[in-house]
Every structure is written in structure tokens, then in C-alpha cells.
């Protein structure tokens, strides 16, 4: 069925058709565009990068709501020791000029206040305030530096005191170099954080050691409280110490406990020539004993030894991906993105393997490392697939950790922080996350696949009870009965989180995509009846397609389409519009294309969506001016939003319309949005999701069907990408992508060879990566007929 053109698109129709005309003039080709200057220009570095860590800039994304942090961490570590600036609810803001402390817990790219537990702050002189906004110090960026696993800054207000940070898996290491003074202080603030602290305690254990406990909640609409314990050990005895309760500071006090502002200080005399004070803080979400064991295991190294170990850990991780043939700017963007993609999820267990489960009981990990912190609505689209390639061992353990959450807490989560569910974001993101682990060959242990399937089936067919803190598929009853979730924005709810009835349009699409992923897993495991049932439910997206407009719209309980028909001003979509969400049907792209009137009609719609006519002339300008630009400009737009997750796959829809060269052009324009400047991350990074998009799209392979093992192809940003893979999961141990250019104008894929065999398909599978070991892309200055056939999509 072909729909009439929506009114909102008519204004762009003439210029779009002109662009299409230009794109079909070259004889012998199915389409071509005048070459535009690529992003990230400059002299290209020919050979493979020898030290990828040298190209990482942790300050990228610290401005314009990227919400990254520049401090110290190791890959997937429990501790992220980083500065918090005044005025920021998420940690560090490049435009702030005051630091209020160096706290031990951060999540990269979150949009709401979370973490920031136990900010430590070096000061000098008398302690006249216990509020970290007041005792914060000015600093200057010229006196600040960061690299993977390391951070350093000088504090203007305290005689230029220098703070240096590094980290281990369970520990944060600090070195403070004070001026010569008899009152060099280190403040440990247990009562303030980036989230709401509901209670805390500090105890001076001996002349070198202070124990703390922080209980709090927060993150967007709030969560059940969680608790983190810490022990901080200094490398030298205190000269004096004390605690505070609110504004009252008591010298010599050994403890303080309760609500409000609380903390402890340790004071040192640095007039004798030794002006360095080192400290190590260990964290545990289990108990104080767990923090002490973590400290004993990792706290014996000097600061320099810990920093060197952190740097080596990053060199090893980043060195598994070697690229050649990019400019220095593109190399900084690429490796900084890969760095951020490897920060989360985080080790949840202590060195003795104990962890606190979501039933709030203590468990011991067996057979896998236990991880926590799950931004699933974001990461299931890109980061999960990237980690399956470059960190499959950890990726497997992450999947098994989610199954632990289900068994101990009763249900699978949406967005988990520490030991609690937040219920943030709509839909069912855990299903494609876990089916991805299965499809990538990670769940091959005895009974692991069936264990995952049982948990997913319970989640897909049920609703958590009222006394459960989980939302799960809260609208599942209506979704299964009707084929859509009714639009009921004012429906009463008894749990915090993101209500699917308010975001019924996007939630229906999310449920349907999850059903499609689960259907494939059920079919593989021999659950034929389930597979057919989930496959039928995966087509529920069709119930939202309005034949009058050609766009998805929410429906009320009686089936009436709800909200404005203008897809740019639609209602019922979470952080987006109908124009953007209509493309989010990864489980049935060919079916969606068919319902749009076929490949040419869908291509025309895509051209308007991406402002393709201008894009061919000016990709960077189009990405900045025509597409959605603001990090929180969710509504009122009919063009592509590269700032948010829901239509990240949309550029790859051209692979299904017989015009794959347009995918390469749009992806290149989207890559323009990522730079090596502090505002160089597009939107919130969301625990590495946007960074993973950048890495995968730069490599030329992208997970077009989340929850499956299909990778769409586009022109890479580099001439060669070499992946060193874990042989336990990828027996060949290596995968390379070659796309050498004769000159900068060679930007189109002319032909493809996968594992030595030519293919016209616009996609490969994980088995191709596992068995073939190579992907060779022959590029040219104009498109060819590669990937244009019906069977190539």
C-alpha cells in the first residue's frame, strides 16, 4: 500500500527531487553525488597506530551535555575517580571554573544526577565551611591534564595545591602536593554527592585510615536507596583529624553519623619538606569488610605504580583495535570514543567475589565476574555489539550478571544503577541486549542459552506484580490483547520510572522490536510455537502506521489514532517524534519499506528526513543546521536526530532501498558531529552508546538489527582496521577491514569481498567475522551497482 505524501514533507519535495536527479545522472551508475569534503580533514597517517592511548582525550564530551568525565578509571572498573565542578548535576562541566571535590563514582554521559559518592578535597588553612560548593576551588584548564587512567589539576584557592588521580579496579588513588603549611587538609565528604544522600557515616579507624558509608537515591525520578562503603588509607599518619555534623566541625572527633552534611578531615604538616600526601580509597557495595579487603588487595602500590598499571591496562584494551590512514583529528575522535565505550558496565563484585544482589542480599559470583550499571535502552543498540567484538569475555559475564539480577530480584531490569532498578526509559531494552549475547555466540556454556531464554520469555509474556519495584513490560496485557499500547498519558502509576502508557507509540515499537529479537532466539532453540507467536507480535508496529500520513501514531484503547497527525508534533513518543521513530523497525525493515510503497518511495522519504539534497554538497553544514542539534531538542522536528538513540540505525535503512551509497554519505555527515573538542560528543554519551556508534560506523560495520548478528556495511573512516580478537570466541583471532583509497574522492563502495569471497550483500554476519577473518571494500569516486539488488538488502 502506498501512502500519500505527508503535508510536513511537501515543502522539501522539490529540492529533494532535484537532489535525486543529480544523483542519477552518471551513465552506467545507479546514482552518484558530487564528492563533498570529508570530515576530519588533514594529513592522513599512513601506518597503523602504535600507541592508541596517546590519541585519547578524556575531555571530549565534557561540554554541551555530553556529560562525560575526565577523571581516572580502568576498563569496566568499579571506581571512576574524577573531579566534580560546581553547577553540574552529572559531574564535570568544562565551562565551570570551580572544583568542589574528586568523587569515586561516575557514569559517563548520563542525563541525570547520579554517583558523585564521597568527594575528597585537598584544602589548606582552617576549615571554615563543610559545604563543597563553598570550599570549592578555582582552577584553570592550562593547569589541568588527563589521559587514560590519569588526571591532574592545580587548585588556585589553596596555594596551587596539585591533585593527581589514578585508579585500579576497586580503588581510587590520590596524590596531593601541598604548599608548605601546617594545615594541609584532605576532606572526605560523606554527606554530599551528585545524587540525594539520605544518610552517611564516617569513622576514624586509626592514625592513617578513615571508613565511610553513604546511602542515597536519585537519578531522574528517584530510586530505592542503595549503600556504598569505602575505606581510605593515607601513606603517612595524620597530624590531627576531626569530623563534622552540618556546620559544626569537631577537632579530634572520631565519628559522625546520620543525615545532612557529614564528613571527616585528616590534617598534615607539610612544612618539613615532604609536601606529598598519597591516599587510596577502596569501594564496596557489600559491606565495610568488603571495602577493607579491596583496599588490602589493591592498596599496596604507590601512586606511580598504580598509574602505570592503569595506563598499561588501557594500552592493552585500545591496542586490540589498530587503524591506519586517518588524520590526527579522526584518530583522536576514534580512540577517545573507543575509550568511553570501555568504561561501563562496571565490576560489582569485591575481590572475594561477593556482591550485593538486587534482592539486597549478599551473593558470591561463580563462573563469571558480576557487573552492574545498565543503561540498557541506550547500550542495546551499539555498545553491546561492540563489546561482543572487542571484549567478548566481559560481555558474556555481563549477560550472565543480568540473569543473576532476574533470579535474585525477580525480574529483568530496564535501567539498573548499583544494586537498584531505576525503571528509566520506555519499552523492553533487556530483550535485544540478551538476545544479542546469544546471537554473538557468548552464551555457549552448559544451559546458559536456555537459562537466558526462560528469563526473557517470562519478561516478554508477563508484568511484574504491584509489590515488585520493577516496571518490566508494564503495558504488556494491553499490548498482547490489542496489538498496541493504548495512549493514556494521565494513567495513574504506583512506581517511579518511565510509563509506557504515556509513551505508548515508542513503547509499542520497542516491544515489537524486542519480540522480533526473541522470535529468532526461540526459533534457534527449537521453541517453534513461541517463535511463531513472538514473530507475529513483532509485526505489531503495523498497528501504529496511519494510512493517511504514512507515519507511526499512538492509538487510544478504542483504536483511534491519538495526537496531532503532523509527525513532527506527534505525542506519545519518548524523547522523539513520529518522524524519527517510524524508522525504528529493525526486525522488519523490508516490511516497513513495503508499506511505504516500496523501495523508491521509502528512499524518497529518507531523502527528505536527512535533507539529502543539501547533504551531498555540505555534509557538515547539513548535520549542524538541518538535523536536530540540541542535546535535549526531542520534539517538534521532522529530520534526523543524531543526538539520541531511537533512530541511530536510520542512516542504514538506505541499505534496504537499493541505494547503499547514501548510507555512506549520511553516516559520513553524522560522523562530522563527533570532533576532538570538549563538545565533540553528540548528545549524552549514555554509558558509551554514542561513542560506540562512532566506533562501529568508523569501522564500516554497524549492528543494523539489535538483538541479531547482522552487520550493515558502509564506507569506513580509515583505510584499514585490524581487530585482535579473543580466540576463545573468535578462533581466527583477527579480523581486518581494508578500504584503501586512491585519493580523498574515493568514498563509495564499488565491491566487497568477505573472507576472500565476493559478495553483493550490504551486510555480513558474526559468523562471517568469525570464519572469514577479513572484509575488503574496494572504493571509488562514484557509486556502482554493488548492493542495489533486491536480494542484497
Amino acid at each position: 500500500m502506498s501512502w500519500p505524501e505527508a503535508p510536513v514533507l511537501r515543502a522539501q519535495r522539490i529540492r529533494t527531487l532535484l537532489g535525486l536527479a543529480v544523483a542519477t545522472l552518471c551513465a552506467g551508475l545507479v546514482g552518484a553525488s558530487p564528492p563533498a569534503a570529508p570530515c576530519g580533514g588533514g594529513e592522513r597517517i599512513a601506518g597503523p597506530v602504535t600507541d592508541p592511548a596517546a590519541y585519547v582525550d578524556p575531555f571530549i564530551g565534557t561540554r554541551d551535555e555530553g556529560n562525560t568525565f575526565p577523571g581516572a578509571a580502568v576498563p569496566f572498573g568499579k571506581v571512576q575517580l574524577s573531579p566534580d565542578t560546581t553547577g553540574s548535576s552529572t559531574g564535570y562541566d568544562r565551562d565551570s571554573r570551580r572544583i568542589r571535590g574528586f568523587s569515586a563514582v561516575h557514569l559517563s554521559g548520563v542525563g541525570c544526577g547520579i554517583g558523585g559518592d564521597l568527594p575528597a578535597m585537598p584544602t589548606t588553612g582552617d576549615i571554615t565551611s563543610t559545604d563543597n560548593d563553598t570550599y570549592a576551588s578555582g582552577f584553570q584548564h592550562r593547569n589541568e591534564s588527563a589521559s587514560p587512567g590519569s588526571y591532574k589539576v592545580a587548585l588556585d584557592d589553596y596555594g596551587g595545591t596539585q591533585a593527581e588521580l589514578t585508579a585500579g579496579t576497586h580503588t581510587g588513588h590520590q596524590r596531593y602536593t601541598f604548599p608548605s603549611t601546617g594545615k594541609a587538609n584532605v576532606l572526605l565528604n560523606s554527606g554530599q554527592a551528585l545524587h540525594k544522600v539520605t544518610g552517611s557515616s564516617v569513622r576514624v579507624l586509626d592514625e592513617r585510615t578513615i571508613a565511610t558509608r553513604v546511602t542515597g537515591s536519585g537519578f531522574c525520578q528517584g530510586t530505592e536507596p542503595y549503600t556504598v562503603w569505602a575505606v581510605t588509607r593515607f601513606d603517612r599518619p595524620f597530624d590531627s583529624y576531626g569530623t563534622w555534623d552540618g556546620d559544626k566541625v569537631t577537632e579530634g572527633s572520631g565519628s559522625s553519623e546520620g543525615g545532612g552534611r557529614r564528613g571527616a578531615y585528616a590534617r598534615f604538616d607539610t612544612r618539613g619538606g615532604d609536601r606529598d600526601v598519597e591516599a587510596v580509597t577502596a569501594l564496596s557495595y557489600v559491606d565495610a569488610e568488603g571495602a577493607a579487603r579491596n583496599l588490602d588487595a589493591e592498596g599496596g602500590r604507590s601512586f606511580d605504580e598504580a598509574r602505570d598499571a592503569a595506563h598499561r591496562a588501557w594500552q592493552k584494551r585500545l591496542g586490540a583495535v589498530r587503524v591506519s590512514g586517518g588524520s590526527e583529528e579522526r584518530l583522536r575522535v576514534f580512540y577517545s570514543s573507543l575509550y568511553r565505550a570501555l568504561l561501563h558496565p562496571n565490576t560489582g563484585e569485591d575481590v572475594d567475589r561477593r556482591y550485593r544482589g538486587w534482592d539486597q542480599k549478599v551473593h558470591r559470583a561463580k563462573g563469571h565476574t558480576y557487573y552492574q550499571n545498565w543503561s540498557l535502552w541506550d547500550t542495546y543498540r551499539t555498545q553491546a555489539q561492540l563489546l561482543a567484538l572487542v571484549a567478548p569475555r566481559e560481555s558474556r559475564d555481563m549477560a550472565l550478571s543480568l540473569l543473576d539480577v532476574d533470579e535474585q530480584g525477580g525480574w529483568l531490569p530496564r535501567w539498573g544503577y548499583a544494586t537498584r532498578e531505576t525503571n528509566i526509559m520506555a519499552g523492553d531494552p533487556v530483550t535485544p541486549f540478551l538476545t544479542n549475547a546469544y546471537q554473538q555466540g557468548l552464551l555457549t556454556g552448559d544451559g546458559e542459552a536456555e537459562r537466558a531464554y526462560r528469563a526473557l520469555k517470562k519478561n516478554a509474556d508477563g508484568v511484574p506484580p504491584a509489590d515488585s519495584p520493577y516496571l518490566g513490560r508494564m503495558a504488556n496485557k494491553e499490548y498482547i490483547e490489542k496489538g498496541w499500547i493504548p495512549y493514556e498519558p494521565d494513567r495513574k502509576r504506583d512506581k517511579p520510572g518511565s510509563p509506557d502508557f504515556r509513551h505508548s507509540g515508542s513503547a509499542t515499537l520497542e516491544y515489537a522490536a524486542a519480540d522480533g529479537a526473541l522470535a529468532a532466539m526461540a526459533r534457534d532453540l527449537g521453541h517453534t510455537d513461541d517463535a511463531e507467536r513472538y514473530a507475529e507480535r513483532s509485526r505489531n508496529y503495523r498497528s501504529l502506521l496511519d494510512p493517511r500520513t504514512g507515519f507511526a501514531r499512538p492509538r487510544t484503547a478504542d483504536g483511534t489514532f491519538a495526537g496531532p497527525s503532523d509527525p513532527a508534533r506527534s505525542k506519545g513518543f519518548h524523547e522523539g517524534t513520529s518522524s524519527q521513530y517510524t524508522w525504528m523497525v529493525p526486525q522488519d525493515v523490508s516490511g516497513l519499506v513495503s508499506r511505504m510503497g516500496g523501495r523508491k518511495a521509502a528512499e524518497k522519504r529518507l531523502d527528505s528526513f536527512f535533507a539529502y539534497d543539501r547533504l551531498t554538497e555540505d555534509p557538515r553544514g547539513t548535520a549542524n543546521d538541518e538535523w536536530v542539534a540540541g542535546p535535549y531538542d526531542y520534539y517538534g522536528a521532522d529530520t534526523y536526530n543524531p543526538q539520541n538513540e531511537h533512530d541511530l540505525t536510520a542512516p542504514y535503512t538506505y541499505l534496504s532501498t537499493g541505494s547503499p551509497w547514501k548510507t555512506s554519505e549520511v553516516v559520513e555527515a553524522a560522523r562530522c558531529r563527533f570532533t576532538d573538542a570538549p563538545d565533540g560528543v553528540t548528545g549524552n554519551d549514555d554509558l558509551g552508546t554514542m561513542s560506540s556508534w562512532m566506533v562501529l560506523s568508523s569501522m564500516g560495520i554497524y549492528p543494523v538489527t539489535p538483538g541479531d548478528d547482522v552487520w550493515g556495511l558502509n564506507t569506513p573512516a580509515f583505510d584499514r582496521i585490524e581487530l585482535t580478537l579473543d580466540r576463545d570466541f573468535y578462533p581466527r583471532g583477527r579480523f581486518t577491514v581494508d578500504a584503501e583509497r586512491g585519493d580523498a574522492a574515493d568514498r563509495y563502495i564499488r565491491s566487497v569481498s568477505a573472507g576472500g569471497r565476493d559478495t553483493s550483500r550490504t551486510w555480513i554476519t558474526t559468523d562471517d567475522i568469525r570464519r572469514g577473518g577479513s572484509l575488503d571494500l574496494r572504493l571509488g569516486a562514484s557509486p556502482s551497482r554493488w548492493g542495489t539488488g533486491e536480494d542484497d538488502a
Side-chain angles (χ1 to χ4, degrees):
M1 178 172 59
S2 179
W3 286 306
E5 188 170 312
V8 74
L9 303 180
R10 289 176 186 151
Q12 298 179 358
R13 185 182 182 195
I14 294 177
R15 61 177 185 162
T16 298
L17 292 175
L18 289 173
L20 286 171
V22 172
T24 56
L25 288 178
C26 295
L29 304 178
V30 296
S33 305
C39 296
E43 186 176 352
R44 300 171 70 84
I45 297 175
V49 170
T50 57
D51 182 11
Y55 288 96
V56 173
D57 182 355
F59 291 107
I60 296 175
T62 58
R63 176 180 287 152
D64 196 27
E65 303 294 343
N67 293 344
T68 62
F69 64 86
V74 296
F76 313 120
K78 185 191 294 283
V79 174
Q80 306 83 33
L81 189 58
S82 187
D84 296 323
T85 57
T86 57
S88 173
S89 64
T90 58
Y92 181 94
D93 185 341
R94 181 74 175 179
D95 293 325
S96 175
R97 290 296 179 266
R98 297 185 67 78
I99 289 175
R100 55 188 175 187
F102 306 98
S103 62
V105 179
H106 294 85
L107 297 186
S108 181
V110 295
C112 297
I114 197 169
D117 299 281
L118 194 64
M121 185 68 178
T123 69
T124 58
D126 294 328
I127 298 172
T128 58
S129 174
T130 61
D131 184 344
N132 60 14
D133 272 335
T134 303
Y135 64 65
S137 172
F139 72 104
Q140 301 173 62
H141 291 310
R142 68 172 180 268
N143 297 327
E144 183 185 34
S145 61
S147 62
S150 176
Y151 174 87
K152 180 167 64 175
V153 70
L155 302 176
D156 295 342
D157 290 7
Y158 298 110
T161 294
Q162 181 173 272
E164 297 175 85
L165 312 177
T166 190
T169 299
H170 300 84
T171 50
H173 299 247
Q174 307 138 68
R175 179 163 64 194
Y176 302 119
T177 303
F178 291 95
S180 178
T181 175
K183 295 180 179 180
N185 315 306
V186 177
L187 312 185
L188 299 179
N189 189 334
S190 65
Q192 292 183 294
L194 296 173
H195 61 87
K196 179 182 179 181
V197 176
T198 56
S200 71
S201 69
V202 291
R203 289 185 297 128
V204 179
L205 301 183
D206 58 41
E207 63 182 359
R208 293 175 53 205
T209 313
I210 298 174
T212 53
R213 173 184 54 78
V214 178
T215 298
S217 61
F219 188 51
C220 295
Q221 300 179 36
T223 62
E224 293 292 317
Y226 71 93
T227 298
V228 59
W229 288 264
V231 179
T232 300
R233 180 183 297 157
F234 293 84
D235 69 335
R236 58 197 276 190
F238 320 140
D239 287 290
S240 61
Y241 62 86
T243 67
W244 65 83
D245 175 356
D247 292 325
K248 182 181 179 181
V249 180
T250 304
E251 184 175 0
S253 169
S255 65
S256 180
E257 183 172 4
R261 288 201 313 274
R262 294 184 184 274
Y265 70 90
R267 177 167 290 167
F268 304 89
D269 189 336
T270 59
R271 291 174 294 185
D274 184 4
R275 298 192 293 115
D276 287 349
V277 174
E278 294 189 13
V280 183
T281 298
L283 298 187
S284 172
Y285 290 87
V286 177
D287 52 29
E289 291 75 19
R293 291 190 188 97
N294 292 340
L295 182 63
D296 289 342
E298 296 184 12
R301 291 184 289 193
S302 70
F303 180 88
D304 289 336
E305 290 170 335
R307 182 186 56 197
D308 291 346
H311 188 71
R312 287 194 301 272
W314 279 114
Q315 284 181 312
K316 181 179 180 180
R317 287 286 181 179
L318 298 168
V321 184
R322 304 274 182 172
V323 300
S324 308
S327 68
E328 288 212 11
E329 179 194 344
R330 284 294 96 181
L331 291 171
R332 282 192 294 272
V333 170
F334 180 83
Y335 280 112
S336 298
S337 297
L338 180 59
Y339 162 79
R340 292 189 298 270
L342 295 169
L343 289 169
H344 307 291
N346 303 103
T347 303
E349 66 183 45
D350 292 338
V351 294
D352 60 4
R353 308 301 308 276
R354 295 185 309 149
Y355 66 91
R356 187 168 297 276
W358 286 28
D359 56 0
Q360 303 309 304
K361 297 178 181 178
V362 178
H363 303 268
R364 193 177 296 274
K366 296 179 181 179
H368 64 276
T369 299
Y370 180 80
Y371 288 93
Q372 60 190 29
N373 297 335
W374 307 101
S375 183
L376 294 172
W377 185 84
D378 310 287
T379 58
Y380 88 77
R381 306 167 198 266
T382 57
Q383 194 225 20
Q385 294 85 348
L386 177 61
L387 294 190
L389 275 180
V390 302
R393 195 172 305 274
E394 291 79 4
S395 189
R396 168 189 176 271
D397 289 357
M398 291 166 189
L400 295 177
S401 297
L402 283 174
L403 299 184
D404 292 337
V405 169
D406 172 74
E407 291 182 358
Q408 295 156 11
W411 289 85
L412 289 166
R414 286 190 184 191
W415 209 120
Y417 175 63
T419 62
R420 296 291 190 175
E421 168 67 301
T422 72
N423 289 318
I424 293 300
M425 305 310 295
D428 176 19
V430 72
T431 292
F433 185 96
L434 283 175
T435 57
N436 172 74
Y438 166 75
Q439 297 287 1
Q440 303 296 340
L442 305 181
L443 300 179
T444 58
D446 186 26
E448 289 176 353
E450 285 292 345
R451 181 187 173 201
Y453 181 73
R454 288 193 301 270
L456 289 169
K457 180 178 179 179
K458 178 180 67 174
N459 176 74
D461 291 341
V463 179
D467 60 355
S468 167
Y470 299 73
L471 280 181
R473 285 198 183 197
M474 62 177 297
N476 221 15
K477 180 177 180 293
E478 293 82 356
Y479 168 80
I480 293 172
E481 288 178 354
K482 298 178 180 296
W484 69 88
I485 300 170
Y487 179 57
E488 299 176 0
D490 299 322
R491 182 164 174 158
K492 184 179 179 181
R493 55 195 174 107
D494 54 4
K495 300 177 186 179
S498 303
D500 289 345
F501 293 100
R502 177 181 300 168
H503 309 298
S504 64
S506 54
T508 297
L509 295 174
E510 297 273 4
Y511 284 21
D515 284 334
L518 189 54
M521 183 178 182
R523 189 176 300 110
D524 287 351
L525 295 176
H527 302 292
T528 306
D529 291 344
D530 285 350
E532 292 178 357
R533 182 163 53 89
Y534 293 133
E536 181 61 30
R537 279 168 36 179
S538 76
R539 293 185 278 273
N540 282 343
Y541 76 90
R542 300 175 181 177
S543 67
L544 300 189
L545 296 177
D546 183 349
R548 294 185 301 111
T549 66
F551 288 89
R553 294 179 64 190
R555 300 175 73 170
T556 61
D558 65 5
T560 304
F561 286 110
S565 60
D566 183 341
R569 292 164 179 80
S570 51
K571 302 291 184 182
F573 294 91
H574 201 175
E575 298 184 355
T577 66
S578 173
S579 293
Q580 297 152 0
Y581 265 103
T582 295
W583 301 107
M584 206 207 84
V585 186
Q587 74 278 18
D588 188 22
V589 178
S590 61
L592 178 66
V593 167
S594 176
R595 279 162 177 74
M596 288 182 172
R599 302 206 310 176
K600 286 303 178 184
E603 180 180 348
K604 192 178 300 185
R605 289 265 298 268
L606 285 167
D607 289 345
S608 180
F609 185 59
F610 291 113
Y612 178 76
D613 56 327
R614 180 185 172 187
L615 182 143
T616 59
E617 302 274 353
D618 182 11
R620 187 186 298 273
T622 303
N624 290 333
D625 302 335
E626 300 282 349
W627 297 353
V628 176
Y632 300 120
D633 289 344
Y634 297 140
Y635 305 108
D638 63 347
T639 52
Y640 180 51
N641 183 3
Q643 306 278 129
N644 213 352
E645 280 77 7
H646 49 76
D647 56 355
L648 286 180
T649 304
Y652 293 87
T653 309
Y654 280 121
L655 300 181
S656 295
T657 65
S659 42
W661 68 92
K662 292 185 177 180
T663 283
S664 291
E665 290 177 324
V666 172
V667 168
E668 171 63 19
R671 289 196 298 240
C672 292
R673 296 296 298 268
F674 291 82
T675 73
D676 60 353
D679 60 354
V681 173
T682 176
N684 300 156
D685 198 38
D686 291 322
L687 277 67
T689 301
M690 309 306 284
S691 292
S692 296
W693 185 96
M694 179 62 192
V695 171
L696 292 165
S697 292
S698 296
M699 288 166 51
I701 56 173
Y702 185 83
V704 291
T705 309
D708 209 335
D709 66 341
V710 178
W711 307 80
L713 305 181
N714 71 283
T715 303
F718 303 100
D719 295 344
R720 182 176 174 85
I721 300 99
E722 303 175 60
L723 301 181
T724 301
L725 303 176
D726 189 324
R727 289 187 180 273
D728 286 345
F729 297 88
Y730 301 93
R732 295 182 70 97
R734 185 170 299 275
F735 181 70
T736 61
V737 180
D738 278 301
E740 191 167 350
R741 297 161 172 80
D743 57 50
D746 291 347
R747 53 188 295 214
Y748 299 104
I749 299 175
R750 302 279 301 179
S751 62
V752 172
S753 173
R757 296 182 177 182
D758 288 346
T759 178
S760 60
R761 298 183 320 190
T762 58
W763 51 279
I764 60 174
T765 68
T766 300
D767 277 345
D768 292 324
I769 295 174
R770 187 174 287 113
R771 293 195 303 260
S774 65
L775 181 68
D776 294 290
L777 310 176
R778 289 176 284 282
L779 306 182
S782 60
S784 71
R785 295 191 179 278
W786 171 82
T788 61
E790 291 281 354
D791 295 332
D792 299 333

